Amino acid sequence: MIVVLSKNISPRAKELIHSYLKDRGFSVREQSLGDDTIIGASGKGAVDTRELSILPGVERVAAASKPYELASRETRAEDTVVTVGGASTPAVKIGGSRITVIAGPCAVESREQIMETAAMIRESGAVILRGGAYKPRTSPYSFQGLGMEGLEYMKAAGEACGMPIVTEVVSPELALQMKDLTDMFQIGARNMQNFELLKRVGSLGKPVLLKRGPSSTIEEWLLSAEYLLVSGAKDVVLCERGIRSFESYTRNTLDILAIPVVKGLSHLPVIVDPSHAAGIRAMVSSAGLAAIAAGADGLSVEVHPRPDEALSDGHQSLYGVQFEKLMRDIEALAPVVGKELVRTPGKYGK
Ligand code: PEP
Ligand code: MN
């Protein structure tokens, strides 16, 4: 059960709500959710919710009908807007009436490659730089990423071009090491239900991009978001990237309807990765536009200056000109869905 507190609650009233719940057998946890302060009450306690809801300082009691509470729209009706970066790079928002585009290579391959890609995507209007330094690969013989060195290159590229960065974290130990170098952690599809990783990353309080597991239901995905939120994350963005089906013409099956479903169930922003869904360059842009038309809050797109030379996922990475065209198409589509494409003003701004 979630108790949403009034914005102007006094410390005394707050204390009384805490003891009211504890006296009735609940363990309580106070935290912020968007611009709300909430108390999560769990355990075997019993309470008269009508009595609780009229205590001074209680805005609302949300007895969630779903197994996830913090991620649920029943707890927070407004769209959550997540902020990424803002220290050494501009702050970028995801959610609400915006379309935010994240782009970059599948993996950081060298200082030159990430610098070149960052400048290219920034010029076309991407506002967050993506790239893997630790790559979870199906084969142990495939390129595994440059590790911390790659992350240093990426941070430098983001700072040079004025873009916050997002990169995948694959273990709880690495999360601590990477914390000060990345603006946003990505939890990859394969790790969506790595609960120890979710708990550790959540506890670091940084923004998190949570990809949907290839075989996960929407409820499992939202429960993974719940792990992050209950562990301390405030800025969680969901990312649909295709699920596994019997179809083999595409790498994965883009679950386009997951977007409106999740937007109905949760207040968290939802973006789409059309690159890993399609797996084929020629289909990436149309899948991305379809996602925007279906209500996605943004995209994460793989782009490489020379896809044929890419060390991973080259066949699904866009050339610079294709990405430029996709950005122009998104800009044209945005007003149709009542949104605006986020641009970073400045040197590369359009
Ligand atoms: C990626 O974004 O590079 C990636 C590995 O994606 P996913 O976890 O969705 O497969
Ligand atoms: Mn990839």
Side-chain angles (χ1 to χ4, degrees):
M1 182 177 56
I2 301 285
V3 182
V4 182
L5 304 180
S6 317
K7 299 264 183 306
N8 55 0
I9 186 171
S10 69
R12 177 78 191 126
K14 209 186 262 188
E15 228 173 82
L16 285 173
I17 299 168
H18 275 260
S19 3
Y20 180 93
L21 290 166
K22 282 187 202 152
D23 291 350
R24 283 158 183 79
F26 289 100
S27 52
V28 297
R29 195 189 59 251
E30 187 177 313
Q31 66 185 94
S32 44
L33 192 64
D35 52 4
D36 292 325
T37 304
I38 60 143
I39 295 177
S42 47
K44 290 205 166 57
V47 75
D48 177 347
T49 50
R50 281 167 309 176
E51 186 178 274
L52 174 61
S53 63
I54 55 169
L55 291 184
V58 173
E59 171 85 25
R60 203 156 48 80
V61 177
S65 62
K66 304 285 187 307
Y68 44 85
E69 292 193 332
L70 299 173
S72 172
R73 272 250 188 240
E74 290 172 337
T75 300
R76 186 177 152 79
E78 310 83 64
D79 286 340
T80 285
V81 176
V82 160
T83 303
V84 185
S88 54
T89 53
V92 174
K93 292 193 187 310
I94 308 177
S97 58
R98 307 164 181 78
I99 294 171
T100 308
V101 178
I102 301 172
C106 179
V108 183
E109 299 167 358
S110 67
R111 181 189 287 276
E112 295 68 33
Q113 173 250 14
I114 192 70
M115 281 288 178
E116 187 182 354
T117 315
M120 193 170 86
I121 57 144
R122 172 73 161 87
E123 189 132 15
S124 298
V127 285
I128 298 177
L129 175 65
R130 62 145 287 144
Y134 293 91
K135 294 303 304 174
R137 303 304 299 280
T138 303
S139 162
Y141 304 114
S142 301
F143 176 58
Q144 303 285 310
L146 297 182
M148 290 306 281
E149 188 188 343
L151 186 50
E152 303 263 3
Y153 296 157
M154 202 175 154
K155 181 174 164 60
E159 284 179 359
C161 296
M163 285 183 292
I165 63 172
V166 55
T167 196
E168 179 162 353
V169 56
V170 293
S171 77
E173 299 70 37
L174 282 168
L176 265 185
Q177 286 180 47
M178 294 166 75
K179 178 176 177 274
D180 296 329
L181 288 170
T182 189
D183 299 293
M184 184 181 216
F185 283 114
Q186 177 170 313
I187 304 278
R190 293 161 191 78
N191 271 315
M192 190 205 84
Q193 285 191 315
N194 181 337
F195 302 117
E196 293 310 311
L197 179 64
L198 296 171
K199 286 190 253 180
R200 174 66 63 82
V201 169
S203 75
L204 298 177
K206 294 209 99 161
V208 187
L209 182 63
L210 177 66
K211 294 196 129 188
R212 180 179 180 184
S215 309
S216 298
T217 63
I218 288 172
E219 186 158 298
E220 287 164 343
W221 188 18
L222 290 173
L223 278 165
S224 290
E226 190 78 7
Y227 262 97
L228 291 167
L229 293 166
V230 80
S231 306
K234 290 182 181 52
D235 297 299
V236 175
V237 177
L238 300 162
C239 181
E240 160 65 39
R241 44 76 76 203
I243 49 177
R244 188 160 277 204
S245 77
F246 50 79
E247 185 51 70
S248 58
Y249 273 100
T250 52
R251 183 173 181 182
N252 289 290
T253 295
L254 179 59
D255 186 3
I256 203 94
L257 293 176
I259 305 160
V261 169
V262 173
K263 293 215 75 88
L265 293 172
S266 176
H267 54 89
L268 298 173
V270 185
I271 70 162
V272 166
D273 171 349
S275 310
H276 289 87
I280 301 163
R281 187 180 309 127
M283 297 179 189
V284 168
S285 296
S286 43
L289 291 169
I292 298 296
D297 296 298
L299 299 180
S300 173
V301 186
E302 287 186 340
V303 183
H304 196 287
R306 286 166 296 281
D308 297 340
E309 293 171 21
L311 298 181
S312 63
D313 286 350
H315 42 278
Q316 66 190 36
S317 300
L318 296 186
Y319 286 94
V321 286
Q322 291 177 306
F323 181 64
E324 169 78 28
K325 162 96 168 60
L326 172 61
M327 290 301 288
R328 276 193 259 113
D329 289 347
I330 294 172
E331 194 149 39
L333 181 57
V336 178
V337 286
K339 291 188 181 167
E340 201 179 337
L341 179 64
V342 173
R343 295 269 193 191
T344 305
K347 201 169 109 191
Y348 296 91
K350 301 247 158 139

